[in-house]
PDB file of all heavy atoms in Angstrom:
ATOM      1  N   ASN A 125      16.043  39.278  17.901  1.00  0.00           N
ATOM      2  CA  ASN A 125      17.354  39.583  18.468  1.00  0.00           C
ATOM      3  C   ASN A 125      18.310  40.012  17.344  1.00  0.00           C
ATOM      4  O   ASN A 125      18.654  39.201  16.484  1.00  0.00           O
ATOM      5  CB  ASN A 125      17.909  38.350  19.196  1.00  0.00           C
ATOM      6  CG  ASN A 125      19.176  38.658  19.980  1.00  0.00           C
ATOM      7  OD1 ASN A 125      19.862  39.647  19.708  1.00  0.00           O
ATOM      8  ND2 ASN A 125      19.491  37.831  20.951  1.00  0.00           N
ATOM      9  N   PRO A 126      18.749  41.281  17.336  1.00  0.00           N
ATOM     10  CA  PRO A 126      19.629  41.772  16.270  1.00  0.00           C
ATOM     11  C   PRO A 126      20.896  40.938  16.086  1.00  0.00           C
ATOM     12  O   PRO A 126      21.383  40.790  14.962  1.00  0.00           O
ATOM     13  CB  PRO A 126      19.977  43.190  16.727  1.00  0.00           C
ATOM     14  CG  PRO A 126      18.824  43.598  17.580  1.00  0.00           C
ATOM     15  CD  PRO A 126      18.410  42.335  18.294  1.00  0.00           C
ATOM     16  N   SER A 127      21.426  40.385  17.180  1.00  0.00           N
ATOM     17  CA  SER A 127      22.653  39.590  17.076  1.00  0.00           C
ATOM     18  C   SER A 127      22.436  38.293  16.305  1.00  0.00           C
ATOM     19  O   SER A 127      23.381  37.703  15.777  1.00  0.00           O
ATOM     20  CB  SER A 127      23.214  39.287  18.472  1.00  0.00           C
ATOM     21  OG  SER A 127      22.318  38.472  19.197  1.00  0.00           O
ATOM     22  N   ASN A 128      21.175  37.839  16.250  1.00  0.00           N
ATOM     23  CA  ASN A 128      20.859  36.621  15.510  1.00  0.00           C
ATOM     24  C   ASN A 128      20.642  36.880  14.021  1.00  0.00           C
ATOM     25  O   ASN A 128      20.365  35.955  13.257  1.00  0.00           O
ATOM     26  CB  ASN A 128      19.612  35.959  16.092  1.00  0.00           C
ATOM     27  CG  ASN A 128      19.850  35.380  17.478  1.00  0.00           C
ATOM     28  OD1 ASN A 128      20.989  35.088  17.843  1.00  0.00           O
ATOM     29  ND2 ASN A 128      18.799  35.229  18.253  1.00  0.00           N
ATOM     30  N   ARG A 129      20.744  38.142  13.612  1.00  0.00           N
ATOM     31  CA  ARG A 129      20.535  38.485  12.212  1.00  0.00           C
ATOM     32  C   ARG A 129      21.812  38.387  11.380  1.00  0.00           C
ATOM     33  O   ARG A 129      21.753  38.419  10.151  1.00  0.00           O
ATOM     34  CB  ARG A 129      19.988  39.920  12.100  1.00  0.00           C
ATOM     35  CG  ARG A 129      18.617  40.107  12.738  1.00  0.00           C
ATOM     36  CD  ARG A 129      18.193  41.572  12.669  1.00  0.00           C
ATOM     37  NE  ARG A 129      16.919  41.789  13.335  1.00  0.00           N
ATOM     38  CZ  ARG A 129      16.361  42.983  13.508  1.00  0.00           C
ATOM     39  NH1 ARG A 129      16.997  44.065  13.053  1.00  0.00           N
ATOM     40  NH2 ARG A 129      15.212  43.102  14.122  1.00  0.00           N
ATOM     41  N   ASN A 130      22.954  38.289  12.051  1.00  0.00           N
ATOM     42  CA  ASN A 130      24.231  38.368  11.332  1.00  0.00           C
ATOM     43  C   ASN A 130      24.402  37.277  10.284  1.00  0.00           C
ATOM     44  O   ASN A 130      24.765  37.554   9.136  1.00  0.00           O
ATOM     45  CB  ASN A 130      25.397  38.340  12.328  1.00  0.00           C
ATOM     46  CG  ASN A 130      25.451  39.599  13.169  1.00  0.00           C
ATOM     47  OD1 ASN A 130      25.235  40.694  12.677  1.00  0.00           O
ATOM     48  ND2 ASN A 130      25.733  39.448  14.451  1.00  0.00           N
ATOM     49  N   PHE A 131      24.168  36.029  10.676  1.00  0.00           N
ATOM     50  CA  PHE A 131      24.337  34.934   9.712  1.00  0.00           C
ATOM     51  C   PHE A 131      23.326  35.027   8.569  1.00  0.00           C
ATOM     52  O   PHE A 131      23.717  34.898   7.394  1.00  0.00           O
ATOM     53  CB  PHE A 131      24.230  33.577  10.408  1.00  0.00           C
ATOM     54  CG  PHE A 131      24.313  32.419   9.450  1.00  0.00           C
ATOM     55  CD1 PHE A 131      25.530  32.035   8.909  1.00  0.00           C
ATOM     56  CD2 PHE A 131      23.166  31.730   9.063  1.00  0.00           C
ATOM     57  CE1 PHE A 131      25.609  30.990   7.997  1.00  0.00           C
ATOM     58  CE2 PHE A 131      23.230  30.691   8.157  1.00  0.00           C
ATOM     59  CZ  PHE A 131      24.459  30.312   7.625  1.00  0.00           C
ATOM     60  N   LEU A 133      21.987  37.673   7.370  1.00  0.00           N
ATOM     61  CA  LEU A 133      22.427  38.801   6.545  1.00  0.00           C
ATOM     62  C   LEU A 133      23.561  38.384   5.613  1.00  0.00           C
ATOM     63  O   LEU A 133      23.567  38.721   4.418  1.00  0.00           O
ATOM     64  CB  LEU A 133      22.886  39.961   7.440  1.00  0.00           C
ATOM     65  CG  LEU A 133      21.795  40.828   8.070  1.00  0.00           C
ATOM     66  CD1 LEU A 133      22.381  41.695   9.178  1.00  0.00           C
ATOM     67  CD2 LEU A 133      21.117  41.699   7.019  1.00  0.00           C
ATOM     68  N   MET A 152      23.453  44.859   2.332  1.00  0.00           N
ATOM     69  CA  MET A 152      23.064  43.835   3.306  1.00  0.00           C
ATOM     70  C   MET A 152      24.261  43.488   4.200  1.00  0.00           C
ATOM     71  O   MET A 152      24.123  43.370   5.422  1.00  0.00           O
ATOM     72  CB  MET A 152      22.568  42.585   2.568  1.00  0.00           C
ATOM     73  CG  MET A 152      21.732  41.643   3.412  1.00  0.00           C
ATOM     74  SD  MET A 152      20.091  42.278   3.790  1.00  0.00           S
ATOM     75  CE  MET A 152      19.222  41.947   2.255  1.00  0.00           C
ATOM     76  N   ALA A 153      25.428  43.340   3.594  1.00  0.00           N
ATOM     77  CA  ALA A 153      26.628  42.983   4.352  1.00  0.00           C
ATOM     78  C   ALA A 153      26.999  44.072   5.355  1.00  0.00           C
ATOM     79  O   ALA A 153      27.478  43.781   6.458  1.00  0.00           O
ATOM     80  CB  ALA A 153      27.791  42.742   3.395  1.00  0.00           C
ATOM     81  N   ASN A 154      26.765  45.322   4.989  1.00  0.00           N
ATOM     82  CA  ASN A 154      27.108  46.430   5.870  1.00  0.00           C
ATOM     83  C   ASN A 154      26.216  46.505   7.106  1.00  0.00           C
ATOM     84  O   ASN A 154      26.516  47.245   8.052  1.00  0.00           O
ATOM     85  CB  ASN A 154      27.043  47.758   5.101  1.00  0.00           C
ATOM     86  CG  ASN A 154      28.266  47.972   4.232  1.00  0.00           C
ATOM     87  OD1 ASN A 154      29.358  47.513   4.561  1.00  0.00           O
ATOM     88  ND2 ASN A 154      28.102  48.650   3.103  1.00  0.00           N
ATOM     89  N   ARG A 155      25.135  45.760   7.103  1.00  0.00           N
ATOM     90  CA  ARG A 155      24.254  45.710   8.273  1.00  0.00           C
ATOM     91  C   ARG A 155      24.742  44.689   9.319  1.00  0.00           C
ATOM     92  O   ARG A 155      24.218  44.638  10.423  1.00  0.00           O
ATOM     93  CB  ARG A 155      22.830  45.347   7.852  1.00  0.00           C
ATOM     94  CG  ARG A 155      22.131  46.408   6.998  1.00  0.00           C
ATOM     95  CD  ARG A 155      20.700  46.009   6.725  1.00  0.00           C
ATOM     96  NE  ARG A 155      19.949  47.055   6.056  1.00  0.00           N
ATOM     97  CZ  ARG A 155      19.421  46.956   4.831  1.00  0.00           C
ATOM     98  NH1 ARG A 155      19.574  45.828   4.140  1.00  0.00           N
ATOM     99  NH2 ARG A 155      18.748  47.950   4.303  1.00  0.00           N
ATOM    100  N   ILE A 156      25.715  43.877   8.939  1.00  0.00           N
ATOM    101  CA  ILE A 156      26.227  42.841   9.846  1.00  0.00           C
ATOM    102  C   ILE A 156      27.025  43.486  10.975  1.00  0.00           C
ATOM    103  O   ILE A 156      27.868  44.344  10.744  1.00  0.00           O
ATOM    104  CB  ILE A 156      27.103  41.835   9.073  1.00  0.00           C
ATOM    105  CG1 ILE A 156      26.259  41.134   7.998  1.00  0.00           C
ATOM    106  CG2 ILE A 156      27.728  40.813  10.011  1.00  0.00           C
ATOM    107  CD1 ILE A 156      27.064  40.290   7.034  1.00  0.00           C
ATOM    108  N   GLN A 157      26.782  43.055  12.198  1.00  0.00           N
ATOM    109  CA  GLN A 157      27.376  43.694  13.367  1.00  0.00           C
ATOM    110  C   GLN A 157      28.737  43.117  13.747  1.00  0.00           C
ATOM    111  O   GLN A 157      29.558  43.816  14.330  1.00  0.00           O
ATOM    112  CB  GLN A 157      26.413  43.582  14.562  1.00  0.00           C
ATOM    113  CG  GLN A 157      25.113  44.350  14.373  1.00  0.00           C
ATOM    114  CD  GLN A 157      24.185  44.237  15.566  1.00  0.00           C
ATOM    115  OE1 GLN A 157      24.350  43.353  16.415  1.00  0.00           O
ATOM    116  NE2 GLN A 157      23.208  45.114  15.637  1.00  0.00           N
ATOM    117  N   THR A 158      28.983  41.864  13.433  1.00  0.00           N
ATOM    118  CA  THR A 158      30.262  41.253  13.806  1.00  0.00           C
ATOM    119  C   THR A 158      31.215  41.269  12.607  1.00  0.00           C
ATOM    120  O   THR A 158      30.829  40.912  11.483  1.00  0.00           O
ATOM    121  CB  THR A 158      30.072  39.801  14.282  1.00  0.00           C
ATOM    122  OG1 THR A 158      29.421  39.043  13.254  1.00  0.00           O
ATOM    123  CG2 THR A 158      29.224  39.756  15.538  1.00  0.00           C
ATOM    124  N   GLN A 159      32.454  41.669  12.860  1.00  0.00           N
ATOM    125  CA  GLN A 159      33.426  41.839  11.780  1.00  0.00           C
ATOM    126  C   GLN A 159      33.744  40.523  11.078  1.00  0.00           C
ATOM    127  O   GLN A 159      33.899  40.475   9.858  1.00  0.00           O
ATOM    128  CB  GLN A 159      34.717  42.455  12.334  1.00  0.00           C
ATOM    129  CG  GLN A 159      35.726  42.853  11.266  1.00  0.00           C
ATOM    130  CD  GLN A 159      35.141  43.829  10.248  1.00  0.00           C
ATOM    131  OE1 GLN A 159      34.508  44.812  10.614  1.00  0.00           O
ATOM    132  NE2 GLN A 159      35.338  43.551   8.965  1.00  0.00           N
ATOM    133  N   SER A 160      33.845  39.437  11.851  1.00  0.00           N
ATOM    134  CA  SER A 160      34.202  38.148  11.244  1.00  0.00           C
ATOM    135  C   SER A 160      33.135  37.689  10.256  1.00  0.00           C
ATOM    136  O   SER A 160      33.451  37.217   9.157  1.00  0.00           O
ATOM    137  CB  SER A 160      34.403  37.093  12.334  1.00  0.00           C
ATOM    138  OG  SER A 160      33.221  36.939  13.110  1.00  0.00           O
ATOM    139  N   THR A 161      31.872  37.860  10.630  1.00  0.00           N
ATOM    140  CA  THR A 161      30.782  37.459   9.738  1.00  0.00           C
ATOM    141  C   THR A 161      30.702  38.386   8.542  1.00  0.00           C
ATOM    142  O   THR A 161      30.444  37.961   7.408  1.00  0.00           O
ATOM    143  CB  THR A 161      29.433  37.462  10.497  1.00  0.00           C
ATOM    144  OG1 THR A 161      29.560  36.688  11.695  1.00  0.00           O
ATOM    145  CG2 THR A 161      28.329  36.869   9.643  1.00  0.00           C
ATOM    146  N   LYS A 162      30.953  39.666   8.770  1.00  0.00           N
ATOM    147  CA  LYS A 162      30.945  40.637   7.679  1.00  0.00           C
ATOM    148  C   LYS A 162      32.047  40.315   6.669  1.00  0.00           C
ATOM    149  O   LYS A 162      31.849  40.420   5.452  1.00  0.00           O
ATOM    150  CB  LYS A 162      31.139  42.049   8.235  1.00  0.00           C
ATOM    151  CG  LYS A 162      31.030  43.147   7.190  1.00  0.00           C
ATOM    152  CD  LYS A 162      31.114  44.518   7.848  1.00  0.00           C
ATOM    153  CE  LYS A 162      31.005  45.625   6.827  1.00  0.00           C
ATOM    154  NZ  LYS A 162      31.048  46.967   7.457  1.00  0.00           N
TER     155      LYS A 162
END
Side-chain angles (χ1 to χ4, degrees):
N125 188 339
S127 65
N128 291 337
R129 296 176 183 175
N130 292 320
F131 177 76
L133 281 166
M152 199 72 79
N154 282 329
R155 293 184 173 117
I156 298 171
Q157 295 181 343
T158 57
Q159 188 57 47
S160 59
T161 308
K162 185 175 180 178

